[in-house]
């Protein structure tokens, strides 16, 4: 499978986080309406997805470009001691650990090499954003203290007979909407099986998703983005690699890993598009390891694949053929034992 980067620019707020499994679900709906996006159409592609995935999507990450491209990836789910230098005094380790706990992002170069001893966790509330193109004007920075902001959107139920909110139908409620700093671009990565599709068709599907909206409340204008660029990347495999850093929520294969360092993420899925109005549009919950997990396999052969995890099926009564992307692209990583 080939490894690509797709760069997007948000042009609205988002009601649903840009995670790999949801991006995969949206792309499947595009294939349902445009079958030539994948060879043989959606049904055939999903039937073989457990053994041969046609595409595996990562979550979206902030992409900074100021001379050199850098990505802000979630801090690996490892003990804080893994990020500390050897030989530090006890007090120095305490102070450094206290500081590191507040830093949620790992700044990674364009080559996507992870060196936990050389990289430093990023503080993105200041200097990194100041160096981002188009962010120097007061208008661009106003109200945006970090990479992601949040506001509460008020809603109300309307009586369609009277066209008012009065009476028993008066039911105000609020939802959270997340938005990105207006100067930022996001990038997500996708593994493509070119025997079943290609990056141009994947890009076309992503452009349609960005045009019509992604996630919750897309019908009210949320989830819009522009596709800016597509590029093929080469993931180098460091000498002595023995672990993988996941780039999307995944469901690790049972018994395949010696150690799993992860933050649990429960996907309470719901069908979209026309199945959103089915008698039971809700999917069964799926417990996943969120992006940023570090998986250490029992056998080195497990790292010969370019993705980790497994596909999940049998989660929907409305559509029995539904498949969840329990796969995740990963960055090869050399892990050493952490003190403490």
């Amino acid at each position: 499978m080939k490894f690509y980067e797709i760069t997007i620019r948000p042009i609205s707020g988002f009601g649903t986080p840009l995670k790999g499994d949801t991006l995969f679900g949206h792309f499947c709906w595009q294939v349902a309406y445009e079958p030539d996006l994948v060879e043989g159409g959606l049904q055939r592609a999903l039937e073989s997805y457990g053994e041969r995935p046609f595409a595996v999507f990562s979550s979206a990450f902030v992409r900074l470009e100021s001379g050199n491209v850098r990505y802000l990836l979630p801090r690996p789910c490892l003990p804080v001691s893994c990020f500390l230098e050897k030989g530090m005094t006890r007090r120095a380790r305490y102070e450094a650990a206290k500081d590191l706990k507040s830093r949620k992002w790992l700044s990674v170069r364009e080559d996507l090499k992870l060196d936990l001893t050389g990289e430093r966790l990023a503080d993105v509330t200041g200097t990194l954003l100041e160096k981002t193109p188009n962010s120097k004007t007061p208008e661009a920075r106003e109200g945006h203290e970090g990479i992601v902001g949040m506001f509460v959107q008020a809603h109300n139920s309307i009586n369609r007979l009277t066209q008012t909110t009065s009476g028993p139908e008066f039911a105000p409620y609020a939802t959270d909407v997340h938005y990105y700093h207006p100067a930022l671009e996001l990038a997500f990565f996708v593994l493509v099986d070119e025997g079943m599709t290609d990056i141009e068709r994947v890009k076309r599907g992503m452009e349609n998703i960005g045009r019509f909206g992604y996630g919750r409340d897309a019908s009210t204008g949320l989830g819009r983005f522009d596709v800016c660029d597509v590029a093929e990347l080469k993931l180098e495999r460091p000498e002595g690699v023995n672990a993988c850093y996941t780039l999307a929520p995944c469901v690790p294969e049972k018994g395949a890993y010696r150690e799993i360092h992860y933050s649990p993420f429960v996907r309470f899925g719901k069908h979209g598009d026309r199945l959103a109005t089915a008698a039971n549009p809700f999917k069964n919950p799926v417990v996943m390891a969120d992006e940023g997990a570090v998986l250490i396999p029992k056998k080195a052969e497990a790292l010969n694949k370019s993705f980790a995890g497994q596909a999940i099926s049998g989660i929907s009564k409305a559509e029995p053929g539904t498949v969840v992307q329990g796969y995740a692209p990963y960055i090869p990583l050399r892990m050493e034992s952490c003190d403490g």
Side-chain angles (χ1 to χ4, degrees):
M1 301 180 79
K2 291 191 175 181
F3 187 73
Y4 293 93
E5 173 198 8
I6 299 179
T7 305
I8 64 174
R9 180 177 292 110
I11 56 177
S12 75
F14 288 81
T16 301
L18 285 156
K19 288 185 177 287
D21 59 313
T22 312
L23 282 168
F24 169 75
H26 274 271
F27 184 73
C28 286
W29 274 112
Q30 295 302 314
V31 179
Y33 287 109
E34 194 175 347
D36 65 344
L37 289 178
V38 174
E39 296 296 329
L42 180 61
Q43 183 174 351
R44 178 184 171 189
L46 292 182
E47 286 174 353
S48 61
Y49 196 74
E51 296 75 34
R52 184 186 177 184
F54 58 88
V56 179
F57 293 86
S58 82
S59 301
F61 307 106
V62 171
R63 184 182 191 271
L64 300 173
E65 186 170 0
S66 182
N68 297 315
V69 174
R70 299 187 76 86
Y71 305 101
L72 296 184
L73 305 183
R75 185 178 71 190
C77 290
L78 291 167
V80 174
S81 58
C82 293
F83 303 97
L84 302 180
E85 298 178 5
K86 307 293 183 182
M88 298 175 69
T89 65
R90 178 177 295 182
R91 182 173 182 81
R93 288 175 63 84
Y94 171 79
E95 294 293 340
K98 185 178 179 179
D99 177 63
L100 286 171
K101 285 182 178 180
S102 65
R103 297 173 180 257
K104 305 299 183 183
W105 307 96
L106 187 65
S107 179
V108 180
R109 295 186 296 270
E110 189 175 15
D111 57 11
L112 293 177
K113 288 184 179 179
L114 289 184
D115 180 1
L116 299 184
T117 60
E119 296 287 346
R120 286 294 176 265
L121 298 181
D123 178 4
V124 298
T125 58
T127 56
L128 286 174
L129 291 180
E130 292 294 333
K131 296 178 181 179
T132 304
N134 303 323
S135 67
K136 296 182 179 180
T137 63
E139 294 81 5
R141 293 199 304 270
E142 185 177 359
H144 295 264
E145 297 298 331
I147 61 173
V148 184
M150 189 272 288
F151 69 90
V152 177
Q153 177 67 58
H155 295 268
N156 207 337
S157 297
I158 298 176
N159 185 323
R160 299 301 177 184
L161 296 177
T162 64
Q163 295 298 309
T164 67
T165 59
S166 60
E169 300 300 322
F170 181 71
Y173 63 98
T175 58
D176 294 339
V177 177
H178 296 83
Y179 59 97
Y180 291 89
H181 190 286
L184 289 179
E185 292 182 342
L186 305 178
F188 63 88
F189 309 100
V190 57
L191 289 164
V192 177
D193 182 343
E194 297 206 320
M196 301 186 70
T197 186
D198 57 60
I199 190 58
E200 288 303 318
R201 285 184 277 183
V202 173
K203 178 185 177 184
R204 192 162 80 236
M206 289 297 111
E207 288 173 337
N208 288 336
I209 294 169
R211 185 179 302 117
F212 295 109
Y214 163 93
R216 194 198 76 218
D217 290 338
S219 61
T220 64
L222 295 185
R224 300 312 201 262
F225 59 84
D226 290 330
V227 176
C228 303
D229 193 21
V230 172
E232 183 178 359
L233 302 180
K234 297 292 184 182
L235 268 181
E236 297 185 13
R237 186 173 295 270
E239 184 179 352
V241 62
N242 62 350
C244 52
Y245 168 90
T246 62
L247 296 171
C250 73
V251 180
E253 307 95 304
K254 185 177 181 179
Y257 298 97
R258 176 166 51 87
E259 293 182 32
I260 301 178
H261 301 272
Y262 70 100
S263 177
F265 170 72
V266 183
R267 171 63 72 193
F268 294 98
K270 181 183 178 182
H271 285 293
D273 207 88
R274 62 176 181 266
L275 287 181
T277 57
N280 184 7
F282 298 99
K283 305 174 188 177
N284 296 337
V286 180
V287 181
M288 312 178 84
D290 209 353
E291 63 256 21
V294 176
L295 313 179
I296 304 177
K298 293 179 179 178
K299 299 180 180 179
E301 295 77 21
L303 295 171
N304 293 336
K305 293 194 304 182
S306 52
F307 54 87
Q310 57 187 314
I312 304 298
S313 58
I315 60 150
S316 170
K317 294 180 175 63
E319 177 49 66
T322 300
V323 176
V324 171
Q325 178 190 279
Y327 298 119
Y330 69 82
I331 299 175
L333 176 66
R334 180 181 177 183
M335 274 291 302
E336 299 180 358
S337 60
C338 301
D339 296 333

